[in-house]
Amino acid sequence: MWLIFAICSAFFAGLTSILAKCGLQNVDSTVATAFRTVVALLFAWTIVAISGSYEQLGDITSEGWVFLILSGLATGASWLCYFKALQIGDVNKVVPVDKSSNVLAIILAIVILGETLSVWGAFGVALILIGTMLMIERKDVTEVKTTNSGWLLFAIGSAVFAALTSILGKMGMEGIDSNLGTAIRTAVVLVMSWVMIYATHKQDKMHGLTNRDKMFIISSGLATGASWMFFFAALQDGPASVIIPIDKLSILVTVAFAYLVFKEKLSKKSAIGLAGIVAGTLLLLVR
């Protein structure tokens, strides 16, 4: 069952990126993240109420609370970086770099969780790294060097924090229902994202959202909530080193929608890079 959950997580994660990009056309990325988190939080706690898993709140250990809170903080940081990158860069470039969190998450799963990686899996990691590099243009690297900013810098930050999210989430979910763990993490993200709005003095940008903006932000939040529910349900029963790569195949959904919605096309070099990422991800499933 965890395999089906992981596939569903990948689909909704891919859909999230496109809906978020649509909702970021005229909205500050930090503001959009905060509003999306409200939707995701309502979604998460509704599922908790329906499943009755809130009764396990008293069963969470002090260590569990620490890891869940840290996972939530890592998620918030990843979101802020990711949606900023989406706002200023192409979806087809941002998403592959973000998905390279695969590699770091696998390394952390081996070192911290004691999971193993086959020879084919190691080859897959190498392919993912090579594929990601092929999808980055030289001008993107130059932009970071000359401006100390750019979509690439934010996308790399998103990948690092996303990897930490997966591992910390796995460690904090021991002995509790995945829906409850997700809801707690989402609450942490909500607090963090709204603190960021006031810390960066962006509260004035919360006004003037159009109905179109609201529609895409809400839809993106719902897709995020669905993706999280499936992802952490899969993590609870299955190996992180397998589930995380499957979830990252959402890149195929994103690229397909990016072409249909934004008319973004892959160059020949980027297409080869994407093929490498997908092939590497599939090799990670070889046990």
Side-chain angles (χ1 to χ4, degrees):
M1 184 59 73
W2 61 263
L3 180 60
I4 296 175
F5 287 154
I7 293 172
C8 290
S9 171
F11 174 79
F12 283 109
L15 192 59
T16 293
S17 301
I18 298 302
L19 292 170
K21 177 73 173 180
C22 291
L24 287 169
Q25 299 299 314
N26 304 302
V27 183
D28 179 83
S29 60
T30 304
V31 172
T33 299
F35 278 104
R36 288 177 61 259
T37 309
V38 172
V39 178
L41 182 69
L42 292 174
F43 187 103
W45 281 101
T46 298
I47 298 298
V48 167
I50 293 174
S51 64
S53 57
Y54 58 85
E55 296 176 355
Q56 295 183 11
L57 276 170
D59 298 331
I60 303 176
T61 64
S62 298
E63 183 179 333
W65 277 109
V66 170
F67 283 123
L68 284 172
I69 291 172
L70 289 175
S71 179
L73 291 173
T75 300
S78 178
W79 273 16
L80 291 170
C81 290
Y82 182 61
F83 291 109
K84 181 62 177 179
L86 273 182
Q87 189 173 46
I88 60 180
D90 291 342
V91 177
N92 281 339
K93 291 185 177 181
V94 174
V95 173
V97 176
D98 173 70
K99 299 307 180 188
S100 65
S101 61
N102 244 354
V103 177
L104 180 56
I106 290 168
I107 294 173
L108 291 176
I110 293 172
V111 174
I112 298 176
L113 303 180
E115 297 186 2
T116 58
L117 188 67
S118 67
V119 175
W120 285 109
F123 186 51
V125 168
L127 277 179
I128 291 172
L129 285 174
I130 294 171
T132 302
M133 295 301 295
L134 286 173
M135 297 196 77
I136 300 174
E137 304 290 338
R138 180 174 297 178
K139 63 182 179 65
D140 299 321
V141 179
T142 302
E143 181 183 18
V144 173
K145 289 181 178 179
T146 56
T147 66
N148 292 321
S149 185
W151 70 265
L152 180 58
L153 196 61
F154 286 107
I156 292 173
S158 173
V160 172
F161 286 115
L164 289 173
T165 292
S166 300
I167 300 303
L168 291 169
K170 175 76 172 178
M171 296 171 72
M173 302 278 280
E174 296 293 336
I176 67 169
D177 182 77
S178 63
N179 294 322
L180 178 61
T182 301
I184 293 172
R185 292 171 58 257
T186 310
V188 176
V189 177
L190 179 69
V191 173
M192 179 181 177
S193 58
W194 282 95
V195 167
M196 284 298 298
I197 286 181
Y198 287 92
T200 54
H201 306 291
K202 293 182 177 180
Q203 53 266 39
D204 292 339
K205 296 184 179 181
M206 293 189 292
H207 306 293
L209 293 178
T210 66
N211 289 331
R212 177 185 180 279
D213 296 331
K214 294 175 183 177
M215 179 188 71
F216 281 114
I217 289 173
I218 291 173
S219 298
S220 177
L222 291 173
T224 298
S227 177
W228 275 11
M229 292 301 167
F230 284 118
F231 180 66
F232 286 100
L235 268 185
Q236 193 167 41
D237 296 324
S241 57
V242 176
I243 293 166
I244 293 170
I246 294 176
D247 177 69
K248 300 307 178 184
L249 284 178
S250 61
I251 186 174
L252 295 175
V253 178
T254 301
V255 169
F257 276 114
Y259 175 76
L260 294 173
V261 179
F262 302 116
K263 308 303 178 186
E264 293 181 7
K265 297 181 180 180
L266 292 173
S267 65
K268 185 177 294 185
K269 177 185 172 186
S270 294
I272 294 174
L274 176 63
I277 292 174
V278 173
T281 302
L282 293 175
L283 283 175
L284 289 172
L285 301 180
V286 178
R287 308 305 293 169

